[in-house]
Amino acid sequence: MINKVVKDAIEATKDIKDGMTLMLGGFGLCGIPENTIRALVDKGVKNLTCISNNAGVDGFGIGLMLEKRQVKKMISSYVGENAEFERQLLSGELEVELIPQGTLASRCMASGYGMPAIFTPAGVGTEVADGKETRNFNGKDYLMEMAFEADFAIVKAWKGDSAGNLVYRLTARNFNPVMAMAGKITIAEVEEIVELGELDPDHIHTPGIFVHRIFQGKNYEKRIEQRTLRERI
Amino acid sequence: MLDKNGIAKRIAKEIRSGYYVNLGIGIPTLVANYIPDGLEVVLQSENGLLGMGPFPFEGEEDPDLINAGKQTITTLPGSSIFDSALSFGMIRSQKVDLTILGAMEVSENGDIANWKIPGKMVKGMGGAMDLVASAKNIIVAMQHVNKAGESKLLAECTLPLTGVRCIKKIVTELAVLDVLPEGGFYLLERAPGVSTEYIRSVTAGKLFIVGEVPEMELE
């Protein structure tokens, strides 16, 4: 097997440079690559275009990169409650492209599947359709949406092995598998690197061929955005 | 006139056994509380879960298990987890039977606006545009008028659209209405104690009232 293991997030991100386009997995704060984001903040790399469903919150996730003005453009479906994000957007420091969530996922998927574009009905007749080719199939209109091109995809999985095979846990899976397939270089951080053979080949979510670098992260905070509970009766 | 829970209760009566249902944020989330026992209904959460269970008990919340509203939730026996592309695949290919979502405006030809108010901070459309473009059956849960007292049921939407010609049914605190294929709102039911005259006075789009309009039955 080809060994993809690198020491840590610093080594994994060593050639990420100013102006690059990054995909970052996660939905809200669930399943985000915490270690790699911290390394990018410490590294201070700037003018990044970030493709990520959300933009973190103040003081956590991509919110940390926003605080250090490292992000030039966000491509997201929902940017939620983030005061620093809002301030930068209104002041014109940050460019934001909002796209439908399914379109975001499918543009990642297209990239990973080696397809240049997809057709989706999402956004037909809305401002999302502005400037895009529309095609009619069987009486219904669809927008042509292009596959993303990302220099790096950065994903978070639960377990992985040295071959780069990945397994995700619960809804922390979200965008991670499609983004893992879509990066020119894919970095995977995992909670645990297990011995080769420990992951059942039938149960692997992302085959190692898509992963170029893998490392075991540490000190996962896994912050919860909305702690909703049920009363014990 | 109904409160938010009343709207949710009335919408729950539209759910049939065997349905896969996607619930939006706000009033639609409350619908889950009123699905009658014994119905076999599976809730889809577009971040990648089929078979969404109730909120966890304190101490059992798991940061890796949330719904599309980023709330901690649980799974059920028979639940399944998948990635975001697959999730919207099942939405686009119409495997989800019913979508329930909120709206700022609905027009008499079924257009919906629910994601953007020009001049205000825009948070994004999330999965709403994908859902309205593909769902075979969409019910809108909303207040009949906005905070300024203006009708939200219009001849044409004034806000940026989320989707076109896609809404078929609306439940408000005052009424249940169908959106007719040829255009116009058709009054199906009145909330208890609400007159058809009042509903007409707060409906800006074309409204059809035919014969005696029954009151909603909520139980």
Side-chain angles (χ1 to χ4, degrees):
Chain A
M1 285 291 152
I2 302 167
N3 187 345
K4 311 279 177 81
V5 178
V6 296
K7 191 166 112 246
D8 55 18
I10 296 168
E11 191 184 338
T13 57
K14 61 181 191 299
D15 46 359
I16 295 185
K17 298 192 172 67
D18 290 356
M20 283 186 163
T21 297
L22 311 181
M23 280 179 176
L24 295 120
F27 183 95
L29 303 178
C30 182
I32 61 172
E34 294 184 22
N35 280 247
T36 312
I37 290 171
R38 255 181 259 127
L40 290 171
V41 170
D42 292 342
K43 190 180 161 76
V45 61
K46 284 193 166 47
N47 285 322
L48 300 171
T49 295
C50 292
I51 302 167
S52 178
N53 189 54
N54 312 93
V57 296
D58 289 315
F60 197 60
I62 295 174
L64 294 168
M65 293 164 72
L66 289 165
E67 271 164 38
K68 285 193 64 187
R69 318 269 171 91
Q70 294 176 274
V71 184
K72 180 185 66 178
K73 181 176 181 182
M74 276 304 311
I75 300 175
S76 304
S77 86
Y78 191 83
V79 290
E81 325 285 336
N82 189 327
E84 178 60 18
F85 182 97
E86 188 168 342
R87 193 198 63 72
Q88 288 185 25
L89 178 62
L90 297 174
S91 69
E93 290 165 66
L94 177 69
E95 191 186 337
V96 179
E97 185 181 343
L98 293 168
I99 61 178
Q101 195 177 132
T103 301
L104 180 66
S106 299
R107 290 175 68 187
C108 295
M109 187 203 74
S111 180
Y113 277 67
M115 302 185 299
I118 54 121
F119 287 94
T120 176
V124 168
T126 77
E127 63 183 52
V128 166
D130 292 349
K132 288 177 185 154
E133 182 178 338
T134 303
R135 197 80 73 82
N136 189 287
F137 296 96
N138 304 317
K140 185 168 173 169
D141 284 337
Y142 295 80
L143 299 183
M144 186 166 79
E145 296 278 7
M146 307 304 290
F148 282 123
E149 284 191 37
D151 298 298
F152 283 83
I154 301 165
V155 303
K156 153 76 176 39
W158 180 38
K159 291 181 179 179
D161 62 23
S162 63
N165 296 309
L166 303 177
V167 173
Y168 308 91
R169 183 172 177 274
L170 297 169
T171 56
R173 189 182 316 187
N174 58 62
F175 283 85
N176 285 299
V178 280
M179 287 186 173
M181 295 171 67
K184 287 194 191 102
I185 297 175
T186 292
I187 298 170
E189 60 171 87
V190 298
E191 290 177 50
E192 188 187 358
I193 292 189
V194 300
E195 291 297 318
L196 278 181
E198 209 172 297
L199 300 176
D200 183 337
D202 270 336
H203 294 166
I204 285 166
H205 297 135
T206 296
I209 190 169
F210 293 111
V211 176
H212 302 84
R213 299 168 193 172
I214 184 170
F215 69 94
Q216 185 168 304
K218 53 189 174 209
N219 304 324
Y220 280 103
E221 197 178 327
K222 292 196 182 184
R223 223 182 264 188
I224 291 175
E225 229 166 313
Q226 306 258 0
R227 187 180 302 272
T228 43
L229 300 169
R230 160 171 52 142
E231 300 260 324
R232 281 183 201 273
I233 303 162
Chain B
M1 196 180 293
L2 305 176
D3 60 8
K4 285 180 180 180
N5 283 296
I7 296 173
K9 216 174 193 178
R10 175 59 191 83
I11 290 174
K13 293 184 65 162
E14 301 289 319
I15 296 174
R16 301 284 170 268
S17 205
Y19 270 14
Y20 290 93
V21 181
N22 180 291
L23 302 176
I25 294 163
I27 300 172
T29 306
L30 300 172
V31 174
N33 300 336
Y34 300 103
I35 298 171
D37 289 341
L39 284 196
E40 288 176 5
V41 173
V42 178
L43 300 180
Q44 198 252 14
S45 192
E46 66 267 24
N47 57 317
L49 170 64
L50 269 175
M52 179 167 62
F55 295 146
F57 293 119
E58 190 169 3
E60 290 172 11
E61 64 272 30
D62 185 333
D64 288 339
L65 186 54
I66 62 169
N67 64 16
K70 283 113 185 174
Q71 298 172 310
T72 48
I73 42 142
T74 55
T75 56
L76 297 168
S79 287
S80 57
I81 304 272
F82 35 85
D83 68 60
S84 300
L86 192 78
S87 181
F88 283 93
M90 64 182 71
I91 289 166
R92 242 182 259 119
S93 62
Q94 302 198 325
K95 302 299 189 287
V96 177
D97 298 285
L98 177 62
T99 293
I100 301 167
L101 46 87
M104 299 170 186
E105 295 176 346
V106 178
S107 79
E108 64 189 32
N109 65 357
D111 295 351
I112 177 172
N114 74 350
W115 76 283
K116 181 175 184 178
I117 301 175
K120 290 206 176 161
M121 171 67 189
V122 182
K123 291 179 176 171
M125 65 290 278
M129 283 193 183
D130 308 274
L131 283 158
V132 299
S134 296
K136 52 187 169 193
N137 193 6
I138 307 173
I139 300 178
V140 163
M142 68 174 190
Q143 303 296 322
H144 213 98
V145 297
N146 63 22
K147 283 177 185 147
E150 298 155 342
S151 179
K152 295 168 72 172
L153 290 87
L154 306 171
E156 272 181 60
C157 292
T158 62
L159 295 169
L161 296 178
T162 308
V164 294
R165 293 184 177 278
C166 52
I167 306 304
K168 297 196 175 74
K169 186 164 271 183
I170 305 162
V171 179
T172 75
E173 78 281 20
L174 305 176
V176 181
L177 309 105
D178 267 349
V179 180
L180 298 174
E182 62 276 22
F185 302 107
Y186 185 96
L187 184 60
L188 290 170
E189 298 172 21
R190 299 171 292 119
V194 175
S195 69
T196 52
E197 291 74 25
Y198 184 67
I199 292 166
R200 190 179 284 289
S201 74
V202 290
T203 304
K206 197 189 298 168
L207 178 67
F208 294 93
I209 300 175
V210 179
E212 281 291 302
V213 180
E215 278 195 4
M216 293 179 203
E217 285 176 31
L218 292 168
E219 296 312 319

